[in-house]
Amino acid sequence: MKDTRKSLIFTSLGHFANDGNFLLFPTLIAYYKVIPHVGIAFLGVMAIIYNLLSGLLGPSIGKLADRIDRDGFLIFVGIFMEAISAILFGVAFIYELYASYIILIASIVLGAGQAFYHPIGASILAFTYGKKDSSSAMGINGSFGSLGRALIPSMLVYSMLFFGHFGGLIVLSIYTFIAAFIIFTGLNFFKRSKYIKVDREKHGRNTVEDKASREEYSKYSKFLYILTAIVFIRAFFLMGTVTFTPDYFDNVFNSKIIMGDIVTISFLGAVLGQPYFGTVVKKHGGKFTIAVTTIASTIFFGLMLITDNLYLITVIYLLYAIFAFTSFPVLLGYVAQTIPQKFSTRSNALVWSFGNIVGGSVGIAIVTLLLYVHISLYTSLIIMLIFSIISIAMLPLLPSKSNLEETTVA
């Protein structure tokens, strides 16, 4: 089997497992909030912790990946930690008296685990597919992440229905453990040294980071900082809303089963959206694609909030998910087109981990604060739309496809 195909298959499995767990905690909020002494504000703080930890650890993990050339092992470590976090989240239902402490520990483990996949998975595809085709490959890969986000909430809800709260989370953890070991075995073939020539005599060890020049990397800093700033503000809206949207559905329809079904149906749309927009990045460039997805997702989320009809909400949220959850091929495909491969993981980590994840943590913090001062969840979600509008206003700062190369080397 060709390296390109192997990298796509096993990083896609990694994306499925990792992003399925992305909605693990938002789904559990609807269950945890009824435990005594575990309020919605506390759960919001836990969401901030695991997202912030993921974002802050990402750049360091990106640099580590650039240095040690063990990408498959690092993805394994991250997903293995997510499996452990699922067990810990389940234990909170057994020892409700200590639930707050257990949820805190589980959130820390989940946040650390979530820091690994995205910058590393994107780099593997950038190395094996090259600049021209990597965004399309990331689109296919990203569709499996969306499939994981679509299926895992319903899988979790129904598992907890049939096996109990703790048993349902054990089922999820077993699946995640198995996936971690399959991914580790499947990505054993990948070594960066096959794609980048490293001067071993000069540096004394096989590292990409030592080969990279700070002066050369600084040529791309303007582009990266502008993109990261826009992603940072955009993530206020995306993460601040997606964390609490399952609870919003539970409030509207008073049913956790309906909640899980809406999330599953809606995120299936992104399974098709990710490969499509990965191709759009390839044809029309990242600036155009970011503009289209950001504007459309803002409109559809606003429309969702003005109806309580089950069928309309499902359709509108599906359309929202198609445009909103395309960040992997759109953002990291844009980076892959622009930044040399030897800087790929640290650049991915800056845009994804700091911009998307840390920015998202701020968004979760804003919603949590609004709920803490007794502003309703509905009103809080409306307020979050403002940040998406601000990110739209910042889009002209990005270089267009025609002058991208000139801008990044200035």
Side-chain angles (χ1 to χ4, degrees):
M1 188 184 298
K2 292 182 178 180
D3 286 358
T4 50
R5 185 172 299 178
K6 285 192 289 186
S7 69
L8 182 59
I9 289 172
F10 292 106
T11 59
S12 295
L13 176 58
H15 211 159
F16 180 92
N18 185 84
D19 279 26
N21 289 319
F22 168 77
L23 288 178
L24 170 61
F25 189 77
T27 304
L28 288 173
I29 286 176
Y31 294 88
Y32 283 144
K33 69 179 182 180
V34 299
I35 296 177
H37 311 298
V38 180
I40 190 70
F42 167 79
L43 295 171
V45 172
M46 294 303 100
I48 295 167
I49 287 174
Y50 84 76
N51 277 281
L52 188 61
L53 186 61
S54 171
L56 293 177
L57 286 176
S60 296
I61 291 171
K63 290 181 180 180
L64 178 65
D66 282 343
R67 187 169 69 248
I68 69 172
D69 200 8
R70 297 286 304 279
D71 296 82
F73 173 73
L74 290 174
I75 290 178
F76 162 80
V77 169
I79 295 176
F80 190 89
M81 293 177 71
E82 292 172 16
I84 293 174
S85 75
I87 296 175
L88 293 172
F89 280 125
V91 171
F93 289 109
I94 297 177
Y95 301 100
E96 290 189 353
L97 185 63
Y98 305 101
S100 297
Y101 302 104
I102 297 170
I103 293 170
L104 172 60
I105 295 170
S107 298
I108 291 172
V109 176
L110 177 62
Q114 289 260 305
F116 287 80
Y117 176 76
H118 285 101
I120 298 174
S123 289
I124 291 174
L125 294 174
F127 278 113
T128 55
Y129 278 87
K131 285 190 174 186
K132 182 178 179 181
D133 297 319
S134 60
S135 63
S136 297
M138 288 180 197
I140 297 171
N141 175 283
S143 71
F144 283 89
S146 295
L147 187 63
R149 286 196 297 264
L151 296 182
I152 294 304
S154 283
M155 172 185 167
L156 178 59
V157 168
Y158 284 105
S159 293
M160 293 172 75
L161 179 65
F162 288 109
F163 301 107
H165 293 168
F166 176 72
L169 282 157
I170 291 298
V171 170
L172 180 64
S173 70
I174 291 172
Y175 141 75
T176 308
F177 278 126
I178 293 172
F181 282 101
I182 292 174
I183 293 162
F184 176 63
T185 302
L187 289 177
N188 261 340
F189 80 94
F190 180 80
K191 295 292 181 183
R192 294 174 182 230
S193 53
K194 293 170 62 175
Y195 302 91
I196 293 182
K197 183 179 179 181
V198 180
D199 189 347
R200 291 184 176 87
E201 292 183 2
K202 180 177 179 180
H203 297 295
R205 61 184 185 275
N206 183 16
T207 71
V208 177
E209 187 174 46
D210 288 339
K211 179 69 175 177
S213 160
R214 290 185 178 181
E215 291 77 13
E216 184 181 356
Y217 184 64
S218 67
K219 296 178 182 178
Y220 303 92
S221 60
K222 180 180 179 181
F223 163 74
L224 285 171
Y225 293 150
I226 292 173
L227 178 60
T228 301
I230 293 172
V231 171
F232 192 85
I233 301 297
R234 178 176 179 256
F236 287 8
F237 162 68
L238 289 179
M239 292 295 293
T241 55
V242 74
T243 301
F244 294 95
T245 299
D247 190 44
Y248 171 72
F249 293 148
D250 186 40
N251 292 342
V252 172
F253 301 109
N254 197 28
S255 170
K256 293 175 177 57
I257 299 298
I258 291 177
M259 171 198 75
D261 289 345
I262 293 175
V263 173
T264 289
I265 293 169
S266 300
F267 276 88
L268 284 173
V271 175
L272 300 176
Q274 295 238 32
Y276 173 74
F277 285 111
T279 302
V280 174
V281 171
K282 181 179 178 179
K283 292 181 178 179
H284 301 288
K287 179 179 180 178
F288 171 82
T289 314
I290 291 172
V292 169
T293 54
T294 302
I295 293 170
S297 61
T298 303
I299 293 171
F300 284 120
F301 192 84
L303 290 174
M304 186 200 75
L305 294 176
I306 63 176
T307 180
D308 59 0
N309 180 279
L310 172 61
Y311 302 105
L312 277 177
I313 281 182
T314 302
V315 171
I316 294 171
Y317 197 63
L318 183 150
L319 293 171
Y320 162 78
I322 289 174
F323 289 94
F325 298 101
T326 57
S327 296
F328 187 74
V330 173
L331 298 180
L332 301 189
Y334 194 18
V335 171
Q337 288 180 337
T338 311
I339 307 299
Q341 287 180 337
K342 58 188 175 182
F343 303 117
S344 63
T345 308
R346 73 182 76 176
S347 300
N348 291 340
L350 177 64
V351 174
W352 186 271
S353 298
F354 183 78
N356 200 47
I357 305 301
V358 176
S361 301
V362 176
I364 297 169
I366 293 170
V367 177
T368 301
L369 179 61
L370 292 171
L371 295 174
Y372 182 75
V373 297
H374 305 296
I375 293 176
S376 71
L377 178 56
Y378 177 79
T379 303
S380 300
L381 296 179
I382 292 176
I383 292 172
M384 296 310 292
L385 281 168
I386 296 171
F387 294 105
S388 189
I389 294 170
I390 293 172
S391 71
I392 292 171
M394 295 173 65
L395 288 172
L397 296 174
L398 281 173
S400 62
K401 187 176 182 181
S402 60
N403 63 10
L404 183 58
E405 181 177 355
E406 179 181 351
T407 301
T408 55
V409 300

